[in-house]
Amino acid sequence: MKQLSHIDGEGRARMVDVSGKPVQVRTAEAMGNITLSDETRELITQSLIKKGDVLTIAEIAGVQAAKRTSELIPLCHVLVTDQVDVSVKLTTTGAVAIAKVRCHGRTGAEMEALTGVSVALLTVYDMCKAVDKNMVISDVKLMHKEKI
């Protein structure tokens, strides 16, 4: 049976010691969706959402969030990111957010990618909540991670 890495032998939460791991290039990609009404998608397309350019602001928010993941997730390691790319695009049913993170570190970048996607989608939600009461954020997931 696998053991949870953030729990010590006495059942207490702890930060994992990664000091013995080698520094490697690590990448991760995550994605998620938000459903939007046809009206909301049209307002975004025409730049008529009062708070501003929804997709660009969501992308910037996602990048900022990925860079600050360790401040949001208590036992997450501080990573110096080499690259964070967040894209938010409209789809036929809403929008999709994709975050790609690259770093040199002793632990992976998946939490940063997942956080970037989550905050990008939350930003879309925040910016559109005045006009769309039925938005749903879903399917936030890690698509790929790799150490080189």
Side-chain angles (χ1 to χ4, degrees), residues 34-50 52-58 88-91 94-95 123-125 127-129 131-132 135:
I34 185 167
T35 57
L36 303 167
S37 69
D38 293 341
E39 175 190 1
T40 302
R41 288 194 327 276
E42 185 62 27
L43 290 170
I44 291 170
T45 300
Q46 294 183 25
S47 298
L48 295 175
I49 297 290
K50 289 184 180 184
D53 180 346
V54 174
L55 302 180
T56 299
I57 293 169
V88 182
K89 307 283 187 228
L90 290 177
T91 67
T123 300
V124 172
Y125 191 101
M127 294 185 74
C128 298
K129 66 187 177 199
V131 296
D132 194 338
M135 295 177 288

Side-chain angles (χ1 to χ4, degrees), residues 62-116:
V63 170
Q64 286 181 310
K67 296 189 313 182
R68 299 184 75 143
T69 299
S70 66
E71 294 176 33
L72 301 169
I73 311 295
L75 301 176
C76 190
H77 289 87
V78 176
L79 293 182
V80 176
T81 54
D82 297 324
Q83 180 184 26
V84 178
D85 179 47
V86 178
S87 66
V88 182
K89 307 283 187 228
L90 290 177
T91 67
T92 58
T93 59
V96 61
I98 298 173
K100 298 176 184 177
V101 177
R102 182 182 178 96
C103 71
H104 284 76
R106 289 185 167 88
T107 187
E110 62 266 32
M111 292 307 298
E112 288 71 14
L114 288 163
T115 300

